[in-house]
């Protein structure tokens, strides 16, 4: 059985490897170990029998908006509800912090719909805050991700 918990320093190498598997496939942005260290307090991990099998982080963009980032589940743990529990941990933290909406830039539309998100027009998002990390992405000039929002009031 797996558990969702806040990440610790001992998890960072596993997180780095798992995140960058998906980044190498173009599904999310690469993270350096340094970036993971600097943002460790934002991360949750899914642990199964001592193995890190999933990650997610909450990145605050402004006083009303945060983003789910670095959401991963190891391929041999798909279909166990790990991704959904990681997203709910991030949403719960956003609620505690008083954030009104949580954004996801994703290719996994059906998954995020099942988590209560809805599609929004990327052009209506606060661009400077949203895209500041995207400039490092090879798809920056032709982004094909979907923007989705979860309104905390709907929890």
């Amino acid at each position: 059985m797996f558990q969702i918990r806040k990440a610790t320093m001992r998890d960072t190498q596993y997180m780095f490897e798992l995140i960058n598997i998906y980044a190498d496939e173009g599904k999310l942005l690469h993270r350096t170990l340094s970036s993971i260290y600097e943002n460790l307090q934002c991360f949750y991990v899914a642990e199964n029998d001592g193995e890190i099998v999933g990650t997610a982080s909450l990145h605050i963009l402004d006083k009303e908006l945060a983003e789910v980032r670095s959401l991963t589940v190891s391929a041999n743990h798909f279909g166990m509800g790990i991704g959904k529990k990681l997203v709910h941990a991030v949403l719960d933290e956003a609620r505690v912090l008083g954030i009104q909406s949580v954004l996801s830039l994703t290719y996994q539309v059906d998954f995020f719909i099942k988590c209560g998100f809805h599609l929004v027009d990327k052009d209506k998002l606060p661009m400077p805050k949203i895209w500041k990390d995207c400039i490092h992405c090879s798809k920056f000039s032709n982004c094909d991700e979907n923007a989705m929002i979860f309104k905390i009031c709907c929890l």
Side-chain angles (χ1 to χ4, degrees), residues 121-140:
D121 184 349
K122 280 188 284 196
D123 294 333
K124 296 190 178 173
L125 298 173
M127 291 303 175
K129 294 183 186 314
I130 303 300
W131 300 116
K132 76 175 191 165
D133 290 325
C134 295
I135 61 172
H136 304 293
C137 179
S138 61
K139 298 178 183 181
F140 178 68

Side-chain angles (χ1 to χ4, degrees), residues 2-141:
F2 66 91
Q3 68 168 338
I4 305 298
R5 62 173 174 76
K6 289 295 278 186
T8 65
M9 199 55 76
R10 74 176 185 274
D11 304 321
T12 56
Q13 183 64 40
Y14 304 105
M15 294 165 59
F16 172 77
E17 292 168 8
L18 189 55
I19 290 166
N20 286 303
I21 287 170
Y22 289 96
D24 288 346
E25 296 174 1
K27 295 179 180 173
L28 27 113
L29 293 176
H30 282 92
R31 298 294 291 255
T32 63
L33 271 172
S34 178
S35 170
I36 293 170
Y37 298 149
E38 291 170 5
N39 296 285
L40 188 61
Q41 72 279 5
C42 302
F43 274 94
Y44 288 86
V45 293
E47 183 178 18
N48 185 42
D49 294 327
E51 177 186 6
I52 301 304
V53 297
T55 64
S57 70
L58 178 69
H59 182 79
I60 298 171
L61 298 166
D62 66 26
K63 93 178 219 184
E64 297 177 356
L65 182 65
E67 180 182 2
V68 176
R69 289 191 178 175
S70 300
L71 177 62
T72 66
V73 174
S74 67
N76 56 345
H77 289 85
F78 285 168
M80 298 173 64
I82 293 170
K84 192 170 188 176
K85 288 196 185 275
L86 284 163
V87 168
H88 283 282
V90 167
L91 294 174
D92 288 345
E93 183 173 1
R95 181 195 303 124
V96 168
L97 293 172
I99 295 168
Q100 296 177 10
S101 300
V102 178
L103 167 73
S104 176
L105 295 171
T106 185
Y107 297 108
Q108 307 302 320
V109 172
D110 291 340
F111 169 78
F112 278 97
I113 287 172
K114 289 177 186 172
C115 291
F117 286 70
H118 65 275
L119 286 165
V120 295
D121 184 349
K122 280 188 284 196
D123 294 333
K124 296 190 178 173
L125 298 173
M127 291 303 175
K129 294 183 186 314
I130 303 300
W131 300 116
K132 76 175 191 165
D133 290 325
C134 295
I135 61 172
H136 304 293
C137 179
S138 61
K139 298 178 183 181
F140 178 68
S141 61

